[in-house]
Amino acid sequence: MKRVLCFIGNLRGGGAQRQMFELIKILHAEGYAITLLTYSRDSQFRLPKGVVWKTVNYPSRILKILSLYKFLWSNEYDVVISFMQYYSVQILPFYWVNHRSRPLIICGERNITLKPDWFEPLLFWFYQNVVDYIVPNTYYQKEYISRVRPALKEKIRVIYNCVDTGYFFSKQKKCLGFPKEIIITARYAPQKNPYMLLEVIKKLKTNHVKNIHFSWHGDLDNKADSVEKVIRNMRQIISEYSLEELISLKGYSEDPCRLYREADCFCLPSLHEGVSNSMLEAMSCELPCIVSSVADNPLIVRDGENGFLFNPKDIEGFYDAVMRYLNLSEEEKILMGRNAGQVVKRKFSKVAFGEAYIKLIKDDEETGGKIS
């Protein structure tokens, strides 16, 4: 039985944590002995029975890293899977120094790189000298890594995120008629392009388009200064231009599937994005998508087939995408949603996700050693 260590800071938060949780469930079901290693017990998921969960947590960063290395020295694994660059750059030095029974090492890159972190050269050096597989979840990131460090190209394997299609599915047809409910599930952050959205909504009001309503669902209770500033600014603009009938700002939901089932369309105007879990979940619920043409979105959303694409810096293009959706017949909207659901079933299933990671492990078994 292969012993697999999965390493990430915690299981609370964004897409990387959710994807790690799904991977743990899949590998555990396949009979692998799984240990999850984190810095805290903060989690929004319930691990399968039999998965060992270990933590190393000290207030001092140095002591935390030393505790991490002490744990690794005391425990041997056949496979180590690390998600997120920030955590990979912490765990890899141990395996560079310690050549004793070095495991197969897989590092998952979960976000696209816009502005390189200071530690990127160091991380890529470890990728080249220690890591066996680098797994970005976008072809955009694969191209970036290959361009910056061509020597890493042969180690890269793109594996898209997975969606729990057993939970995210369309239970019933959307209600016919108006207004059309367009849902955004995203953080209240400049990256998600909220001010551009409000400019489009102002234009909709100016042109007397009344058969539409946007609902933005995010964490309204987040006390971070940057988040509070975005929420405050959005509310000020909504009030100043009397947009209350066209958009509502709402809190985080513990049941996003219900939100998608009650909506008619999904929107995400991000300035940059990896592969949005929210977008995939909405598509799995058979919602057409109006999304920005960034990163891998054009490979997933086919304009006019399962949604509409626009330049996130082009107000007119965004407005036109919304109007193209509204001008579809009800039958065309439903067909577009079904097309979206088929894309997720074909490319983003848990089966495809799990098989891709298991193939990396089994390829190592068949070759009798690591490829690096």
Side-chain angles (χ1 to χ4, degrees):
M1 180 186 294
K2 285 279 185 180
R3 298 161 298 173
V4 179
L5 177 69
C6 294
F7 176 59
I8 194 169
N10 58 66
L11 278 185
R12 182 82 188 179
Q17 289 79 4
R18 187 178 308 178
Q19 295 302 309
M20 177 65 86
F21 172 67
E22 294 295 344
L23 180 58
I24 287 171
K25 289 197 300 181
I26 291 166
L27 294 179
H28 176 71
E30 287 293 319
Y32 292 93
I34 308 297
T35 298
L36 169 65
L37 180 63
T38 63
Y39 285 139
S40 78
R41 285 271 171 174
D42 195 12
S43 174
Q44 65 191 78
F45 306 107
R46 180 175 297 177
L47 293 173
K49 186 177 181 181
V51 172
V52 177
W53 188 1
K54 298 290 186 179
T55 58
V56 288
N57 189 17
Y58 287 89
S60 164
R61 182 175 298 178
I62 293 176
L63 289 177
K64 185 183 292 184
I65 298 298
L66 290 176
S67 179
L68 169 65
Y69 292 168
K70 180 180 178 182
F71 175 89
L72 297 175
W73 180 264
S74 303
N75 298 273
E76 290 190 16
Y77 297 95
D78 302 299
V79 182
V80 171
I81 302 174
S82 173
F83 272 14
M84 302 178 70
Q85 292 182 341
Y86 177 74
Y87 300 114
S88 293
V89 80
Q90 295 173 26
I91 198 172
L92 292 178
F94 172 84
Y95 289 110
W96 176 67
V97 172
N98 178 30
H99 294 272
R100 181 190 58 154
S101 303
R102 183 186 293 173
L104 177 76
I105 300 177
I106 301 170
C107 288
E109 294 237 342
R110 314 314 298 170
N111 291 301
I112 62 171
T113 300
L114 297 170
K115 184 177 180 181
D117 293 299
W118 64 267
F119 58 77
E120 184 179 273
L122 177 64
L123 177 68
F124 283 7
W125 186 90
F126 281 122
Y127 278 177
Q128 187 169 339
N129 291 279
V130 181
V131 174
D132 299 290
Y133 294 106
I134 306 159
V135 182
N137 64 352
T138 65
Y139 286 92
Y140 184 99
Q141 185 69 358
K142 175 186 177 180
E143 292 172 4
Y144 171 80
I145 298 171
S146 300
R147 183 175 68 254
V148 173
R149 190 64 66 94
L152 296 176
K153 187 173 182 179
E154 296 304 314
K155 294 187 177 188
I156 301 174
R157 304 290 188 275
V158 177
I159 300 178
Y160 272 140
N161 291 354
C162 70
V163 178
D164 185 354
T165 54
Y167 172 69
F168 291 100
F169 67 95
S170 179
K171 207 167 189 178
Q172 57 190 10
K173 287 185 179 180
K174 308 295 176 297
C175 296
L176 302 181
F178 296 100
K180 288 301 174 188
E181 185 71 18
I182 299 184
I183 187 173
I184 302 107
T185 51
R187 291 176 292 110
Y188 291 102
Q191 174 206 340
K192 303 301 181 180
N193 215 5
Y195 307 124
M196 172 76 83
L197 173 66
L198 292 175
E199 288 298 317
V200 169
I201 293 174
K202 284 161 60 176
K203 186 175 176 64
L204 289 168
K205 181 178 180 181
T206 299
N207 292 336
H208 307 290
V209 179
K210 298 180 179 180
N211 56 354
I212 189 171
H213 180 266
F214 292 83
S215 294
W216 187 307
H217 293 262
D219 188 358
L220 286 172
D221 298 322
N222 192 316
K223 299 304 180 184
D225 291 343
S226 59
V227 175
E228 290 189 329
K229 180 180 179 180
V230 169
I231 295 171
R232 184 170 61 251
N233 290 345
M234 290 182 73
R235 284 174 169 164
Q236 181 177 341
I237 294 169
I238 291 169
S239 176
E240 181 178 350
Y241 291 92
S242 302
L243 304 178
E244 291 85 356
E245 292 186 3
L246 291 174
I247 181 170
S248 302
L249 305 187
K250 300 186 178 182
Y252 173 80
S253 173
E254 295 288 346
D255 186 11
C257 186
R258 177 184 60 80
L259 300 179
Y260 297 136
R261 288 174 178 169
E262 293 174 352
D264 298 287
C265 182
F266 175 82
C267 180
L268 192 63
S270 301
L271 292 167
H272 57 88
E273 198 69 60
V275 171
S276 166
N277 285 292
S278 296
M279 180 182 76
L280 298 181
E281 291 162 358
M283 292 176 70
S284 187
C285 292
E286 298 189 355
L287 291 187
C289 293
I290 303 173
V291 298
S292 52
S293 182
V294 295
D296 279 27
N297 280 0
L299 301 178
I300 301 167
V301 176
R302 302 290 185 178
D303 192 82
E305 182 179 326
N306 56 19
F308 298 101
L309 296 164
F310 60 90
N311 183 327
K313 297 182 180 180
D314 180 7
I315 294 175
E316 292 297 326
F318 188 178
Y319 175 83
D320 288 344
V322 173
M323 294 307 300
R324 288 172 67 195
Y325 167 74
L326 290 176
N327 289 331
L328 293 175
S329 69
E330 295 298 337
E331 292 75 16
E332 288 172 327
K333 291 184 178 79
I334 291 172
L335 177 59
M336 186 171 279
R338 287 175 179 165
N339 291 340
Q342 288 301 314
V343 169
V344 173
K345 289 178 182 177
R346 188 168 63 250
K347 291 186 176 182
F348 301 94
S349 69
K350 289 198 290 186
V351 172
F353 177 77
E355 285 179 349
Y357 273 97
I358 291 169
K359 185 178 187 302
L360 298 185
I361 298 171
K362 289 187 174 179
D363 280 352
D364 177 64
E365 294 172 352
E366 292 170 2
T367 57
K370 296 170 282 299
I371 65 168
S372 58

